[in-house]
Amino acid sequence: NGGCCAALPADDEQVFHHRSFVTDLPARVMKWGGAELKPRRSAEMLSSVLPPGTRIALVAGRSNRERIASYVHAFRNHSFRVREMGQQSAIRDFCFLAHARAGLWGT
């Protein structure tokens, strides 16, 4: 059930999860050579399979505000309607992700 969620995705809303490996696992990211997909590339990949005007909820956990803003900007530049889920707790992020219906994407 959605009892742990602060909000739920809409039935037609794609959910994009940006896991901030740079914030969460900085030492490993350096070993991996920087594993995060850049915002512009993420938007390009989504736009190759989703039509303009698609609703996207961006779940970004502990990412810094500038990084989240760069994803929002890239998605809007590709004509997506973006809803940022803000700085939720990890359990609320997980609950939101678990209730995605239209699609679940991520870095």
Side-chain angles (χ1 to χ4, degrees):
N1 73 35
C4 63
C5 296
L8 293 172
D11 288 340
D12 67 340
E13 192 171 37
Q14 302 286 327
V15 177
F16 185 89
H17 180 222
H18 168 64
R19 169 73 190 269
S20 182
F21 290 111
V22 171
T23 300
D24 294 343
L25 307 168
R28 286 193 180 146
V29 168
M30 298 318 286
K31 284 185 195 174
W32 294 339
E36 288 184 352
L37 194 58
K38 303 274 190 241
R40 188 189 91 250
R41 185 67 183 126
S42 296
E44 289 169 354
M45 291 177 76
L46 288 178
S47 68
S48 73
V49 294
L50 300 174
T54 297
R55 296 172 59 190
I56 297 177
L58 174 62
V59 178
R62 302 181 327 157
S63 296
N64 72 43
R65 302 300 307 155
E66 292 169 7
R67 189 75 170 153
I68 295 169
S70 66
Y71 277 90
V72 170
H73 180 74
F75 290 165
R76 288 186 175 150
N77 279 347
H78 282 78
S79 301
F80 294 125
R81 295 174 13 210
V82 183
R83 172 169 69 130
E84 181 191 330
M85 293 314 300
Q87 302 274 315
Q88 304 185 113
S89 68
I91 193 66
R92 286 190 169 165
D93 278 352
F94 179 79
C95 187
F96 192 88
L97 296 170
H99 286 84
R101 297 291 173 252
L104 180 59
W105 310 84
T107 58

